[in-house]
Each structure stands twice: as structure tokens, then as C-alpha cells.
Amino acid sequence: MDQKYIRNFSIIAHIDHGKSTLADRFIELTNSITSREMSSQFLDNMDIEKERGITIKAQTVRLKYKSKSGELYYFNLIDTPGHVDFTYEVSRSLASCEGALLVVDASQGIEAQTLANVYLALENNLEIFPVLNKIDLPHADPDKVKLEIENVIGLDTTNIGVVSAKTGLGVADLFEQIIHRIPPPKGESQHPLQALIFDSWFDVYRGVVILVRVFEGTMTPRTKIYLKGVEREYEILELGIHEPFYSKVDSLGAGEVGVVICGIKTIRDVKIGDTLVSASLKDTPILKGYKEVKPMVFCGVFPVESDDYENLKEALEKLALNDSSFTYEPETSQALGFGFRCGFLGLLHMNIIQERLEREFQLALISTAPSCNYKIQTTAGEILFIDNPSKLPDTAEIDKIFEPLVEISLHLPNDYLGKIIKLCEDRRGKQMNINYITPERVQLVYELPLSEMVFDFYDHLKSLSKGYASMDYNFLEYRESDLVKLDILLNGDKVDALSIICHRSNSFYRGRDLTTKLRGLIDRQQFEIAIQASIGTKVIARESVKALRKNVLAKCYGGDISRKRKLLEKQKEGKKRMKMVGNVELPQEAFLAVLKVDE
């Protein structure tokens, strides 16, 4: 295939600015599928994506377009997620493209993730083509948003794309602009093979399916390939493309995006970001991959039934192949048994992975409350990184505790500025910058402890701004702080899964709110349950769940008072014995109560 007729590009934007809808119109206009097969958010093939109206996985599709001059062009289009938690998906997609369509909502303007995605595209030296979407809305203001794009991002808006992805207005003209604005791929089909693995998933019948962008050389079935990262050799069984349904091809040349099937059964043999080369030329240089992402939020995931442990392990392996941005390692909890400690890029990412495990692999799971990574300096001078509060050393052994700080960028209407500043200040935030993008819109930059952001910060932000504020964040540094470990005790026994690390100034309020919340969640038993919050040996809050009591005096008519007292004392002794051997059943909501103590 002649490279001058290939265009590789991603669609990037803030969440809900119309990326997937625009991709739908592209598919319709090129007649890639029939109207009967078409559905809204066609490339979002997971139920969760359609239900929530968000893109979780970047999806690629090859479209054939006949230009006005009569030439047939091949567009490799990648629809990417918009939420900050899935930035890794976007960065992987951008590494496989020459250009990016930056979609901006004409009614909302530039949002936090719009800027973040622009910086990602610039890092990859891509040609950025801005597109104004939703121009058919009554409150759309294209001229004002064009000015924002020029002033804030610095892109020329003279030949900006102006479309309505919902109605299809202006989408046909966009194709012609893409041909002229986005450069064709470079590389030679005669050079030694170099292909970048930018996605993979597990198929029950085919094994590991690899999605690649070929930069140099050509691939054909029955040729031997070598995976540089894992140092394994395989034979190509089948090559294919998505247009948008899977179809076989005889070869994949330089500049093309396609699927490679080698019958790989071992999931660990494929690593996203790896370089695929010819087995006869193993010394071919590695392509620039992706920087390793570091999880920001950690939580324990345990099977409700202990027999499901192996199934959970297998499910996590398959999901990690599809989404390499989360990590997992085995963990044991006194309260919950055997499970895994998982690391995620954010709270939504955590929520989605748990839901996928339950839906796709039919697992019943219990998740502990999320925490972040802390840096500990011991009195012996040793440096430790702790992502689980239960692993924190004794107070006597700790010299200093450092907590992670993030720089958070908030874009919001001016009307809500006071409320959002108060929210950030209450969360121990430090204001870094305040910038008026327009007289009505403000960019607020704060330095915030990650632990404070993990606890429902995003929910409060959306609620205080009526959904108009948007957020982007990145890791800054570890900084020393006065932190303590808050333990929860049930009848004197520590529940390690409910332990949290918090700032000393907030510890009393967190302990009090948490014990009160747990009292409402734990069912009454035949014995009294004492719920305590403690720092070390000092109990700072206590609540009790009263015992269920049978009225033993109901059939006791008349007689001396000592007879009644004897029955009550006998019941009291029984309750005490029961308390010693009884187990407290904790519902799943109890582990999430740590998150929502201030509701």
C-alpha cells in the first residue's frame, strides 16, 4: 500500500466533548457498516462504556475514503478516552499516530483534560488539528471558543474544523481537511521490521491478540518474529485489521496499523510498549515505547468465597494484558483472607476494573478502602514505601513519614470560585496559581496531598460546581507530614482492612465519623459489639452496637425479685461467653465507609 494514501490519527478531547459520536459519523460516512449494524458509540464495545457514556479503552478502526480528487485513502482512526484516569490509553494511542484531532465543545470551551491531551500530543511531535464540535447547540459560542484556543493553547484557528458530530453537519468536509492537515506516515517497507505493540487482549480461541503499528518493514503470515522486551520468538499465524469488523489481510507494511495473531498462550509473554522485530534480525533497535506509569491509588481486592482465589488471579492476569496501567500483587488480610493488592491510576480507574472483574469473570469481590503510597524513613535510616496502612512499622521505629503531593489543575466558571477554594483549603491544599482564561472561566492550580484527593474530592468538586468544574492532576513529590495510623477495633480485635493513614489534625474527626458510620452498617448480633478507633494504644472514639436480647422475663410470673435477677444474670453470662467466640460479620459497605465518612 502506498504510504501517501495512509493517515494515522487519534481523536482526543475532554470527557463528553463528542469523540465517540464523531467516530460514529466517520464510520457512517465511509459506509464501513450497514445502517442495521450501526449503533450509538459503536467503537465503545463494553457494556460499562455504553451505560456510563464514557470511553474506557482506545479503539482502532480502518476506514476507506474516496477523496474529491478521486484517490482512495486509508484512515487509521483511534478513538481515545477523555477522563484523566485513562491518560495512559491516550499516550499509547498517540505514539502510533502522526496527527491528532483535538475536539473542543463549542458550548463549554477548553477544559482541564483538553490541555492535558494537547501537551501529550506535543510530546509525541504530532500535528494537532483543532475541531469545534456541538455548533448546533443554542448556547454554542464558536467565536469565543476559537479565541480561547488561540490564547490558551496557541493553535491557529483560521482553518479550524467546525462540525456537529450528532447531526453530521460539516463532518464530510473534515475528511478533506484531514488529508491536507495530517502528514502521511514515514518508513520503508524494505527496511528491517520494527513494529510497536500498543494494545493486546486475550481471546479464548486465538490466544493473545496483539495490536501493532508498523514503523519499518513488512509482516506476512508464516514469518518468524521476535519480541524484544520478553526475548521470545514466535511465528505469525494470521494478520488482520478492524474495518470496523475483523478481517484477514495478507501483509502489514510500514505505516499500517493491524492485528497480529501468533497463538501465544502465555499472557506474560506480551508487554504493551514492546518492539516486535524479525527473528532473523534480533539486533534491530527498540522503538521508543511509553514511560512506565506509576499507580496513584491502591486497594485490596479479595474474593468473597476463598475458593475463587485462583479464578481472581487468572482474571487479573487477563485484564492486565488488556490494561497494563494497573498493578497487582498477592496480599493476606486477617479479616478477609487471601487476595491481591492492586494499584490504579485513579478512583474511576479502580471502580471500572472492579466492575469489569465482577461482570466479565463472574466474581463476587470485597474491596478495601483506597489508599496511596507513603514514604517512610525509619530510625535505622532505612527508606520504605508503604501502600497498605497495615504494613506501617511501629511508631517507635518511624523517624519521618512523607506523603505524596499532586499538582491539581481545576477549570471552572467564575461563579463557583469561592466554594472550590474553600474545598481545596479544607483538604490541606496550597494555592499555586489562579488564571482567568476568560472573564467567566478560571484556571485554579493547587498543591494537594494525594490522600486528601482520594477521599471523595472529585464528588465534592462536581457537586459544588453543579458539574461544570473539570480536573487534571500530576504527581509532584513526597513531602514530610505529621501523619498517624488510625486503627479500627471490633470487640478489641484490629480489622486491618479498615485501617487508614491520616493527618494528626483530622484523626479525631475521622475516627469519630467512621465509628458512627460503622455502627449504622454492622448488623446487631446476639452479643454487644464495641467499635473503637485508636491511634496506637490510645482509643480516640467509640460506638456500640447493642445486643439482640430475648425477653427472658416474659414467662416469669410473680415470685421473688431474686428469681428474675437470677434469669438476667444467667443471660448476661451467656452473652459474655458468646462475645468471646462470636464473629462479627462485616458487610461490603463497611470497607467503603472509610471513603464516605462525611456524608
Side-chain angles (χ1 to χ4, degrees):
M1 187 187 295
D2 195 335
Q3 285 186 353
K4 69 179 181 183
Y5 297 121
I6 298 174
R7 295 292 182 274
N8 298 321
F9 63 93
S10 282
I11 305 180
I12 57 173
H14 186 79
I15 191 167
D16 205 28
H17 277 205
K19 298 174 300 299
S20 298
T21 313
L22 184 60
D24 286 351
R25 295 298 83 76
F26 280 161
I27 291 168
E28 273 180 3
L29 276 169
T30 51
N31 299 316
S32 300
I33 56 173
T34 63
S35 55
R36 183 174 61 83
E37 293 167 324
M38 188 65 198
S39 63
S40 177
Q41 287 178 267
F42 182 80
L43 292 180
D44 293 346
N45 51 22
M46 277 191 271
D47 291 339
I48 309 172
E49 291 180 312
K50 290 190 186 292
E51 283 169 22
R52 297 191 179 212
I54 58 172
T55 302
I56 294 164
K57 283 291 299 172
Q59 298 292 344
T60 182
V61 60
R62 183 191 281 190
L63 306 172
K64 292 177 186 173
Y65 170 69
K66 197 165 191 179
S67 70
K68 288 177 182 175
S69 54
E71 287 104 347
L72 186 64
Y73 283 87
Y74 294 88
F75 289 165
N76 287 315
L77 151 71
I78 303 173
D79 178 25
T80 63
H83 197 279
V84 59
D85 283 11
F86 304 108
T87 305
Y88 188 57
E89 286 286 324
V90 182
S91 67
R92 282 172 19 198
S93 305
L94 294 177
S96 314
C97 299
E98 278 73 42
L101 294 193
L102 177 70
V103 179
V104 182
D105 188 327
S107 61
Q108 289 181 296
I110 291 171
E111 303 268 8
Q113 204 57 27
T114 314
L115 279 175
N117 285 329
V118 166
Y119 297 142
L120 275 176
L122 290 172
E123 276 176 30
N124 286 278
N125 299 318
L126 300 191
E127 181 66 38
I128 301 171
F129 176 26
V131 177
L132 274 188
N133 189 22
K134 305 190 184 181
I135 57 159
D136 58 320
L137 292 180
H139 53 288
D141 193 345
D143 295 331
K144 181 182 155 192
V145 177
K146 278 182 191 177
L147 205 62
E148 266 186 43
I149 292 170
E150 287 188 349
N151 293 341
V152 180
I153 303 176
L155 293 174
D156 181 25
T157 58
T158 315
N159 298 314
I160 192 169
V162 181
V163 300
S164 166
K166 192 172 185 179
T167 62
L169 177 70
V171 178
D173 297 331
L174 207 56
F175 274 125
E176 292 295 325
Q177 288 175 286
I178 288 168
I179 291 167
H180 298 112
R181 294 287 293 271
I182 292 174
K186 294 172 183 172
E188 295 293 333
S189 295
Q190 293 78 32
H191 286 180
L193 177 65
Q194 273 184 313
L196 182 70
I197 299 173
F198 72 94
D199 204 358
S200 58
W201 59 91
F202 189 81
D203 186 285
V204 180
Y205 304 105
R206 295 188 173 110
V208 178
V209 179
I210 307 170
L211 192 60
V212 297
R213 157 70 201 274
V214 186
F215 281 88
E216 300 281 355
T218 308
M219 281 191 285
T220 53
R222 299 297 164 201
T223 55
K224 295 274 179 71
I225 56 163
Y226 180 69
L227 302 180
K228 297 276 284 187
V230 290
E231 300 180 349
R232 291 291 175 92
E233 199 174 299
Y234 290 101
E235 184 182 345
I236 297 175
L237 302 178
E238 197 177 292
L239 294 173
I241 53 170
H242 289 119
E243 48 176 8
F245 300 115
Y246 178 80
S247 58
K248 289 185 190 179
V249 290
D250 296 329
S251 68
L252 285 175
E256 293 188 73
V257 173
V259 170
V260 180
I261 296 166
C262 303
I264 302 171
K265 293 288 183 282
T266 312
I267 294 167
R268 296 181 198 88
D269 282 3
V270 177
K271 192 180 175 189
I272 290 174
D274 198 359
T275 304
L276 187 152
V277 298
S278 172
S280 57
L281 295 163
K282 292 180 182 176
D283 295 333
T284 309
I286 289 178
L287 288 165
K288 185 186 169 190
Y290 320 106
K291 60 181 180 187
E292 287 287 322
V293 288
K294 290 184 179 174
M296 305 285 274
V297 176
F298 296 85
C299 89
V301 177
F302 298 85
V304 171
E305 299 292 334
S306 55
D307 297 346
D308 280 341
Y309 177 78
E310 284 301 322
N311 295 337
L312 175 60
K313 185 181 177 183
E314 195 177 315
L316 284 167
E317 279 186 353
K318 287 180 181 176
L319 264 192
L321 174 75
N322 191 237
D323 180 358
S324 60
S325 58
F326 86 94
T327 60
Y328 65 95
E329 58 182 36
E331 180 186 41
T332 312
S333 162
Q334 292 171 359
L336 302 169
F338 293 101
F340 292 89
R341 189 79 182 166
C342 300
F344 309 94
L345 299 185
L347 284 179
L348 179 67
H349 189 215
M350 180 183 90
N351 189 284
I352 293 294
I353 292 289
Q354 288 171 8
E355 204 165 326
R356 286 186 69 185
L357 285 169
E358 288 173 357
R359 284 190 187 202
E360 294 174 26
F361 302 97
Q362 288 77 51
L363 292 168
L365 302 173
I366 286 180
S367 310
T368 64
S371 66
C372 53
N373 221 351
Y374 294 93
K375 183 178 169 184
I376 314 293
Q377 186 177 315
T378 64
T379 47
E382 194 181 353
I383 298 291
L384 306 170
F385 284 92
I386 303 291
D387 60 36
N388 189 344
S390 61
K391 291 180 182 174
L392 197 71
D394 290 336
T395 316
E397 295 175 26
I398 297 171
D399 181 22
K400 293 174 184 173
I401 302 182
F402 301 83
E403 65 179 342
L405 286 181
V406 289
E407 184 183 78
I408 183 165
S409 171
L410 305 163
H411 284 242
L412 56 135
N414 194 20
D415 302 350
Y416 307 107
L417 185 61
K419 291 178 183 176
I420 304 301
I421 286 177
K422 185 179 184 304
L423 172 67
C424 295
E425 296 291 337
D426 290 346
R427 298 297 178 106
R428 298 191 285 126
K430 179 184 171 187
Q431 193 180 120
M432 306 293 289
N433 193 11
I434 183 164
N435 177 28
Y436 279 83
I437 297 169
T438 68
E440 296 84 30
R441 286 192 70 78
V442 188
Q443 182 192 21
L444 196 58
V445 181
Y446 258 86
E447 206 176 74
L448 202 71
L450 180 60
S451 57
E452 296 287 348
M453 204 192 83
V454 164
F455 292 108
D456 64 10
F457 177 83
Y458 191 65
D459 294 344
H460 281 273
L461 176 71
K462 283 294 180 190
S463 124
L464 289 172
S465 66
K466 298 182 180 170
Y468 284 108
S470 62
M471 178 183 99
D472 181 45
Y473 63 90
N474 53 64
F475 174 74
L476 270 181
E477 61 176 358
Y478 282 96
R479 190 172 295 170
E480 188 182 351
S481 189
D482 186 13
L483 300 170
V484 291
K485 180 187 171 192
L486 184 68
D487 286 313
I488 298 297
L489 291 80
L490 294 181
N491 286 343
D493 295 328
K494 280 184 187 176
V495 183
D496 54 352
L498 290 177
S499 298
I500 56 170
I501 295 172
C502 62
H503 198 265
R504 193 180 296 274
S505 61
N506 298 338
S507 58
F508 169 72
Y509 305 104
R510 291 297 294 277
R512 184 191 62 190
D513 293 343
L514 193 49
T515 50
T516 308
K517 184 87 174 181
L518 287 171
R519 187 187 67 184
L521 290 169
I522 296 173
D523 293 330
R524 290 174 71 185
Q525 311 277 329
Q526 293 286 345
F527 50 90
E528 185 180 346
I529 302 166
I531 306 165
Q532 295 169 306
S534 73
I535 297 171
T537 54
K538 183 183 177 185
V539 175
I540 57 170
R542 175 189 166 122
E543 292 285 347
S544 297
V545 178
K546 295 297 179 188
L548 286 168
R549 287 185 58 187
K550 182 181 176 183
N551 187 0
V552 291
L553 306 180
K555 295 180 182 177
C556 188
Y557 298 104
D560 189 58
I561 186 70
S562 59
R563 187 173 166 220
K564 293 182 180 179
R565 198 172 287 134
K566 193 175 177 183
L567 283 170
L568 288 170
E569 286 296 324
K570 193 176 177 184
Q571 185 188 39
K572 192 176 176 183
E573 285 299 317
K575 294 281 182 198
K576 193 183 283 185
R577 278 199 308 276
M578 202 180 283
K579 187 174 183 177
M580 289 168 71
V581 297
N583 289 322
V584 182
E585 285 283 319
L586 275 178
Q588 160 74 338
E589 292 78 28
F591 299 103
L592 298 177
V594 190
L595 263 183
K596 298 170 182 167
V597 287
D598 51 357
E599 278 187 0

